[in-house]
């Protein structure tokens, strides 16, 4: 009997413990007992992060794309087998109804502070939330926007889904590409002064210190003239833009108002005629999916570098 009990005890001790995965999400620590099997992502850029890590088979759908913007051919192919569960922000009922166990979103990227859908409101239904790093500024302090925000999200998603090697390889590739682009930025010149025009005519919606375009512009050898604006994506007034006098304007292309219409608005507005970028017709367009954190950020840096310094 003693031998049987001892054998049973040894067998119990040798049973491997279930490996937990713990990641930091904004100001929270999130524990996963196993990789999610029914994930939902919000917005085109977050969805592309999931796809580039090969996680389509772990997803039950996506939200927040068709209500704001259109998909290009590459993105349409990537999500062809997945349903769009909500054209804009999903309700709690939508996520529960999809039997989701994971929601990849951000503050103002599918969730609102104090809103219906938050990590706290989804927790009772077994839906874990990972928050986009760029968006953490909406609920607390964080460093200035950096491409490290993108790398952090990819690495954490890799850990959560058991794809850490894939994520590490992808980040290494992105860093190598960034070094290659950096080598093409001319040395010994003053950084180009750049303003980001997202939308709005009465007042422009723009990228501040904590929005990804600040990091993209800096990687291309420029400086965001709104670098001292202690916001992520927010509204300013045109008087501020005139005072900042940018050399170049980055137009974010999405929605019903086209990039050409945004450019024409600035060029034909007498109040903006004295801005160097307007006088010299220096505009460059980034698609929404390039300007927000995601896999196309490196393409965006290359595009900006060419626009800033190309002949």
């Amino acid at each position: 009997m003693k031998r049987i009990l001892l054998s049973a005890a040894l067998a119990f001790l040798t049973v491997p413990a279930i490996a937990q995965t713990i990641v930091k999400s904004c100001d929270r620590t999130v524990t996963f007992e196993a990789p999610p099997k029914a994930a939902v992502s919000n917005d085109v850029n977050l969805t592309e992060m999931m796809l580039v890590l090969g996680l389509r088979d772990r997803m039950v759908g996506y939200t927040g794309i068709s209500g704001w913007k259109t998909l290009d051919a590459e993105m349409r192919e990537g999500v062809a087998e997945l349903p769009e569960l909500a054209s804009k922000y999903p309700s709690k009922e939508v996520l529960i109804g999809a039997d989701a166990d994971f929601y990849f979103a951000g503050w103002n990227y599918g969730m609102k502070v104090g809103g219906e859908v938050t990590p706290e409101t989804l927790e009772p239904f077994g839906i874990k939330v990972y928050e986009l790093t760029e968006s953490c500024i909406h609920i607390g302090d964080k460093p200035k926007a950096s491409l490290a925000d993108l790398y952090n999200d990819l690495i954490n998603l890799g850990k959560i889904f058991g794809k850490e090697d894939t994520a590490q390889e992808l980040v290494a590739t992105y860093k190598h590409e960034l070094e290659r682009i950096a080598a093409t930025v001319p040395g010994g010149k003053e950084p180009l002064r750049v303003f980001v025009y997202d939308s709005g005519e009465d007042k422009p919606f723009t990228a501040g210190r904590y929005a990804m375009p600040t990091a993209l512009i800096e990687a291309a050898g420029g400086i965001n003239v709104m670098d001292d604006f202690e916001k992520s994506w927010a509204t300013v007034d045109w008087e501020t833009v005139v005072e900042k006098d940018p050399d170049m304007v980055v137009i974010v292309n999405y929605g019903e108002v086209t990039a050409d219409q945004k450019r024409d608005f600035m060029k034909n507005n007498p109040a903006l005629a004295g801005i160097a970028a307007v006088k010299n017709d220096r505009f460059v367009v980034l698609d929404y999916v390039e300007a927000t954190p995601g896999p196309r950020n490196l393409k965006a840096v290359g595009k900006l570098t060419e626009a800033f310094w190309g002949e």
Side-chain angles (χ1 to χ4, degrees):
M1 177 62 71
K2 288 183 179 179
R3 185 176 298 138
I4 293 173
L5 291 173
L6 179 60
S7 298
L10 289 173
F12 176 78
L13 291 172
T14 56
V15 172
I18 297 174
Q20 290 184 333
T21 299
I22 300 173
V23 299
K24 187 81 171 176
S25 177
C26 289
D27 58 354
R28 301 179 305 121
T29 298
V30 187
T31 301
F32 295 85
E33 302 296 341
K37 297 179 180 178
V40 175
S41 56
N42 182 81
D43 214 332
V44 61
N45 53 319
L46 282 74
T47 301
E48 283 207 336
M49 282 195 226
M50 297 286 287
L51 295 177
V52 80
L53 289 170
L55 299 175
R56 182 166 59 176
D57 63 341
R58 309 285 188 87
M59 298 176 68
V60 293
Y62 61 92
T63 63
I65 296 181
S66 67
W68 309 104
K69 55 198 76 73
T70 57
L71 296 174
D72 62 19
E74 181 181 346
M75 200 49 200
R76 279 195 298 273
E77 181 181 353
V79 299
E81 299 169 9
L82 295 173
E84 184 172 43
L85 302 174
S87 62
K88 293 187 176 181
Y89 285 17
S91 66
K92 189 168 56 177
E93 287 72 23
V94 163
L95 296 173
I96 296 167
D99 291 326
D101 61 3
F102 178 79
Y103 185 43
F104 179 29
W107 301 105
N108 297 344
Y109 289 90
M111 299 188 294
K112 293 181 180 178
V113 176
E116 175 196 0
V117 175
T118 69
E120 290 72 28
T121 64
L122 295 179
E123 183 69 28
F125 302 96
I127 303 175
K128 301 278 189 179
V129 175
Y130 178 73
E131 299 144 282
L132 184 75
T133 299
E134 184 210 46
S135 76
C136 294
I137 190 62
H138 294 291
I139 59 169
D141 293 332
K142 74 175 291 291
K144 178 180 178 177
S146 165
L147 281 164
D149 293 344
L150 168 65
Y151 304 154
N152 181 61
D153 289 332
L154 290 170
I155 295 299
N156 280 338
L157 289 171
K159 290 177 180 177
I160 291 166
F161 286 91
K163 293 267 193 173
E164 193 167 1
D165 287 348
T166 301
Q168 293 283 3
E169 290 174 8
L170 194 61
V171 168
T173 299
Y174 289 166
K175 289 181 177 179
H176 179 75
E177 176 65 7
L178 190 63
E179 290 177 0
R180 185 195 66 78
I181 295 171
T184 69
V185 176
K189 291 190 176 182
E190 288 292 319
L192 204 68
R193 294 170 49 77
V194 183
F195 175 70
V196 178
Y197 182 25
D198 177 282
S199 57
E201 293 191 355
D202 292 339
K203 289 187 175 183
F205 191 67
T206 189
R209 182 175 182 83
Y210 301 104
M212 182 56 77
T214 294
L216 305 180
I217 290 165
E218 289 183 359
I223 184 171
N224 183 359
V225 295
M226 301 307 301
D227 180 72
D228 58 352
F229 187 37
E230 295 286 331
K231 297 285 185 180
S232 179
W233 295 90
T235 300
V236 295
D237 54 59
W238 285 114
E239 290 78 10
T240 299
V241 181
V242 172
E243 181 182 338
K244 297 285 188 179
D245 192 22
D247 303 305
M248 173 78 74
V249 172
V250 173
I251 293 176
V252 183
N253 184 35
Y254 70 100
E256 294 180 358
V257 181
T258 68
D260 284 342
Q261 288 171 325
K262 292 174 186 178
R263 181 191 292 110
D264 289 345
F265 168 77
M266 289 195 69
K267 290 177 66 175
N268 296 322
N269 188 329
L272 307 178
I275 295 174
V278 174
K279 286 191 295 186
N280 297 316
D281 195 23
R282 298 205 68 189
F283 295 87
V284 58
V285 176
L286 290 183
D287 289 333
Y288 175 91
V289 72
E290 295 172 323
T292 51
R296 301 199 205 189
N297 286 162
L298 276 296
K299 177 183 176 182
V301 174
K303 186 184 289 188
L304 293 178
T305 302
E306 177 63 26
F308 292 176
W309 310 110
E311 295 299 329

